[in-house]
Amino acid sequence: MPELPEVETVRRGLTPAMEGALLVRAELRRADLRFPFPADFSALVSGRRILSLGRRAKYLLIDLEDGNVIIAHLGMSGSFRVEEGAGPETPGDFHHPRGKDEKHDHVVFHLLSAKGPARVIYNDPRRFGFMDITNRDTLASHVFFRDLGEEPTGNVLDASYLAQRFAGKAQPLKSALLDQKNIAGLGNIYVCEALWRAGLSPMRAAGTLVDAKGKPKKALVLLTEAIRSVIADAIAAGGSSLRDHIQTDGTLGYFQHSFSVYDRAGEPCRTPGCGGTVSRAVQAGRSTFHCPKCQK
Ligand SMILES: [Zn+2]
C-alpha cells in the first residue's frame, strides 16, 4: 500500500503536468472504484483550471479554480501516469511509457496547458482507490479529514504535541503512532523505522515518554525527530515503492533498499555495536519489526 512518502512523491511527480492546466474533461471509464464516483463528478470538474496539487495524510488534493477540490486516494494499487502529446489517435511523444495493463485505466484527466495537451491517467488493478469532490471551505470538516492528527512533515508535529496525545496512555507506542488521530498518514513501515532510529520498543507504553507534568521526556523528543527524519528521507528517496506502487514517472524509489528493520526479520541489527537480531512480532494484526536488544 502506498504510504505517505509515496503519495507525496506522486504529488510532486504530477505537479508539473497538472498545476495551472485546464482540466478539459474528466473521463470516467467506470461508475465506481472502491466507492461510486459522485454523480456529477465529471460535470463539476470539467472545464475548470487546476490551481495546485496538495496532500493531506495519504489523500491527494487537486484544487480547482472554482473552490472545489478533487480528493484522490490510491488505495492498495492505484497509480497515475502522465501522457503528453495529442492523443492515442495521433501517437505523440510518450515521456512516461508504462507496462501496466490499460484495462485498469479507470479515469483519464484530459488537460490543456501552455505545453500542449496531456492526459493524466489513473490506473488501479485492485480498485481500492477512490475519488471524491468537496469544497475547499469545508475540506477540514470532511469525513476523511475531520479526525486526522498532525502531518509528520509539518512543524506542528513536535514533542509537546505528542506528549499531550500520549500522556497517561498504556497503549503500546506502535499503536499510538499508527493512530491517525495522533499523526496523519504515518504507516506501518515508517513507524517501525522511526522506533528503531529512536531506540524505543514498539511494545513500550506511550505514556512512559511523558513526565508527571505532561511534558515530553528526552526519548519523546528523539522519537519526534526520528519520525520527521524518516519521512523526510523517504520522500527524498521517492517513496519506498513496495509491491504495486510505482512513481508517477515509472521509476522505482530506492528507500526500500535502506530499511533498517522493516521486513528484515532474522537479519543483524544495523545499530552500530548492537549485535542484536531484528525480530518480527504481530501487534494489532500488523507486523512489527524491531531489535529487542537496542530498542527499549
Ligand atoms: Zn539493535
Side-chain angles (χ1 to χ4, degrees), residues 183-199:
I183 306 173
L186 197 61
N188 200 33
I189 295 173
Y190 300 103
V191 167
C192 292
E193 293 293 307
L195 285 167
W196 175 81
R197 285 189 185 195

Side-chain angles (χ1 to χ4, degrees), residues 8 40 46 68 97 99 117 146-147 155 208 238 277 284 287:
E8 179 60 21
D40 47 359
S46 296
N68 277 333
R146 64 189 178 204
D147 295 324
N155 291 328
T208 62
T277 302
S287 289

Side-chain angles (χ1 to χ4, degrees), residues 18 43 47 61-62 73 82 100 117 138 145-146 186 200 228:
M18 296 187 82
L61 303 174
I62 304 169
H73 194 285
V82 179
K100 287 208 168 185
T138 53
F145 304 109
R146 64 189 178 204
L186 197 61
L200 292 168
R228 294 177 56 145

Side-chain angles (χ1 to χ4, degrees), residues 53-264:
L53 264 69
R55 180 191 56 73
R56 175 75 168 117
K58 294 198 280 186
Y59 297 89
L60 197 63
L61 303 174
I62 304 169
D63 270 278
L64 305 178
E65 62 183 336
D66 64 351
N68 277 333
V69 184
I70 299 170
I71 303 168
H73 194 285
L74 300 170
M76 303 290 284
S77 58
S79 64
F80 285 96
R81 71 177 191 271
V82 179
E83 291 181 355
E84 289 166 324
E89 66 281 5
T90 312
D93 192 4
F94 286 71
H95 290 255
H96 309 289
R98 297 276 303 253
K100 287 208 168 185
D101 193 333
E102 290 185 5
K103 76 177 182 222
H104 301 303
D105 289 349
H106 303 308
V107 181
V108 183
F109 291 127
H110 297 268
L111 307 177
L112 187 63
S113 74
K115 291 178 281 186
R119 289 168 305 291
V120 168
I121 299 160
Y122 181 69
N123 181 292
D124 191 349
R126 298 175 68 183
R127 298 202 308 269
F128 281 101
F130 49 90
M131 292 189 193
D132 198 0
I133 187 163
T134 190
N135 196 270
R136 172 52 69 175
D137 295 339
T138 53
L139 189 71
S141 57
H142 189 282
V143 63
F144 296 157
F145 304 109
R146 64 189 178 204
D147 295 324
L148 287 181
E150 297 299 340
E151 290 282 322
T153 51
N155 291 328
V156 183
L157 184 79
D158 62 15
S160 300
Y161 166 78
L162 286 179
Q164 285 171 27
R165 306 292 309 189
F166 291 177
K169 295 261 171 74
Q171 182 185 28
L173 259 183
K174 171 84 185 296
S175 312
L177 292 173
L178 280 178
D179 185 341
Q180 301 295 297
K181 296 188 191 74
N182 293 330
I183 306 173
L186 197 61
N188 200 33
I189 295 173
Y190 300 103
V191 167
C192 292
E193 293 293 307
L195 285 167
W196 175 81
R197 285 189 185 195
L200 292 168
S201 168
M203 289 79 178
R204 179 178 173 144
T208 62
L209 300 186
V210 185
D211 72 16
K213 292 177 180 169
K215 301 288 182 216
K217 293 183 183 172
K218 188 180 177 194
L220 185 51
V221 175
L222 293 175
L223 175 61
T224 310
E225 286 169 6
I227 292 164
R228 294 177 56 145
S229 69
V230 79
I231 291 291
D233 291 350
I235 291 172
S240 63
S241 298
L242 288 174
R243 301 189 183 91
D244 291 331
H245 185 74
I246 301 177
Q247 281 180 220
T248 50
D249 68 357
T251 59
L252 294 169
Y254 291 99
F255 194 73
Q256 68 206 51
H257 303 304
S258 60
F259 288 154
S260 297
V261 282
Y262 187 81
D263 217 15
R264 291 191 64 241

